[in-house]
Amino acid sequence: MTRSTPLKILGWSLAALAVLLVLLIILVLTFDWNRARPYINDKVSESTGRTFVIAGDLRVKWKQGLKTEPGWRRYVPRPFISAQDVRMSNPDWATAGPQLASARRIDVAIHPLPLLQHKVVLTDLALDAPQIALQRRADGSNSWTFKDNGPSPWEVEIQRMAFADGTIRYLDEGIALDVRAKVSSTAPDATPGDAPDNGPGSAPVQKYGIAFTLGGSYRKAPVTGGGKAGAVLSLTDDKTVYPVQAHAVLGKNKASIDGTLTDPRSLSGIDLQLSLAGASMADLYPLTG
């Protein structure tokens, strides 16, 4: 065997890998993914024990990574999945709503390289007009715990998430709380008070991009409130500062927060002002722990 033989083998291997990659890209771009919807619906429903449906159009295309990603990873193409009219049901006992979650459209970008390590990395997750109904019973069981299939070898990581123009309901029988939030898109707010200045060299602060209102009941007393927050929540970036401002009146209790988050996943970058008031601080314990 000559010295050039290993180089030739390596060259042919790289060439074969490149060809396979090109064929995979062509398959993704040309395949009618709507044909796969029944299979996807059945498999997800079977694994979760809930009815899962993609009722609308399903498309997949390739997309380059974000410019903010470090190093060469930004140049790795990734599948960008867009699904319309997506629904997942609540368990039969739930009264918060028939659907655990639904959305007019869901857009997902998946990084392909971590799949080799049994890790699903969603670099971007965007929900259009989501409707979410969560419920926890007095015995502690809840509607968001799926069928127990044992430990999974797969890990899931969401890096960036955005949603707008949706509704969320949370019903907690244990503390007699039934609260609804309506979220709507707002134009970026450039008011200086809405973008705190953390001093020279500090991380940039997002402008407010969504507004929400609260309504419902707590121990049969009315709940009112509202607030605003950034449009895109980064769950891994420890540099982008996410602003949040909210206030709520729950019966005789009042609560408000105003500040920023820089690392929501680890809760290590919190700069919030929290205000609590009520007839008795003991009344706030079920909400705050």
Side-chain angles (χ1 to χ4, degrees):
M1 180 182 294
T2 63
R3 182 179 299 179
S4 62
T5 300
L7 295 178
K8 289 182 179 180
I9 295 175
L10 177 61
W12 280 109
S13 299
L14 293 175
L17 181 61
V19 171
L20 289 175
L21 181 60
V22 171
L23 291 176
L24 178 61
I25 294 175
I26 294 175
L27 174 63
V28 171
L29 293 176
T30 59
F31 182 72
D32 182 5
W33 288 94
N34 287 301
R35 296 182 180 180
R37 283 187 303 165
Y39 176 81
I40 296 173
N41 293 342
D42 290 343
K43 286 300 180 181
V44 175
S45 299
E46 179 183 349
S47 63
T48 61
R50 307 287 181 84
T51 301
F52 176 82
V53 177
I54 301 177
D57 192 30
L58 176 62
R59 296 186 179 184
V60 181
K61 61 182 181 181
W62 289 95
K63 185 179 180 181
Q64 186 174 317
L66 298 173
K67 295 181 179 180
T68 55
E69 291 187 55
W72 54 270
R73 290 176 176 81
R74 73 183 69 174
Y75 302 108
V76 177
R78 61 209 56 187
F80 182 81
I81 304 169
S82 180
Q84 296 185 4
D85 193 5
V86 182
R87 303 187 296 269
M88 175 170 281
S89 69
N90 256 323
D92 295 337
W93 55 261
T95 58
Q99 305 297 332
L100 171 68
S102 65
R104 184 163 54 200
R105 190 182 74 209
I106 297 179
D107 295 330
V108 179
I110 302 177
H111 204 306
L113 296 182
L115 295 174
L116 300 175
Q117 299 176 339
H118 287 83
K119 189 173 183 179
V120 180
V121 176
L122 308 182
T123 56
D124 285 277
L125 172 62
L127 307 175
D128 181 21
Q131 297 186 27
I132 301 172
L134 307 173
Q135 185 171 349
R136 186 170 74 97
R137 293 192 285 190
D139 62 3
S141 59
N142 59 68
S143 63
W144 58 87
T145 298
F146 298 139
K147 175 182 175 183
D148 186 7
N149 295 313
S152 173
W154 291 87
E155 297 180 24
V156 178
E157 177 183 311
I158 302 175
Q159 296 185 345
R160 286 163 47 95
M161 182 171 61
F163 66 94
D165 298 330
T167 60
I168 301 174
R169 183 185 182 188
Y170 178 65
L171 177 59
D172 195 320
E173 299 173 7
I175 60 174
L177 175 67
D178 184 1
V179 64
R180 298 172 177 82
K182 184 177 181 181
V183 183
S184 60
S185 299
T186 60
D189 195 337
T191 304
D194 291 343
D197 184 5
N198 296 328
S202 60
V205 181
Q206 284 190 43
K207 298 176 182 178
Y208 288 105
I210 61 173
F212 58 91
T213 57
L214 299 175
S217 64
Y218 171 57
R219 295 184 178 178
K220 298 183 179 180
V223 172
T224 59
K228 51 188 175 180
V232 178
L233 178 60
S234 177
L235 302 178
T236 58
D237 191 353
D238 59 357
K239 296 180 180 180
T240 301
V241 181
Y242 183 80
V244 60
Q245 185 182 94
H247 65 278
V249 178
L250 302 91
K252 297 181 180 180
N253 305 309
K254 297 180 180 180
S256 66
I257 59 172
D258 187 1
T260 60
L261 304 173
T262 54
D263 193 356
R265 187 172 59 174
S266 63
L267 298 180
S268 61
I270 297 179
D271 184 8
L272 294 174
Q273 289 184 338
L274 171 65
S275 299
L276 299 173
S280 170
M281 293 297 287
D283 293 339
L284 299 172
Y285 179 79
L287 296 176
T288 64

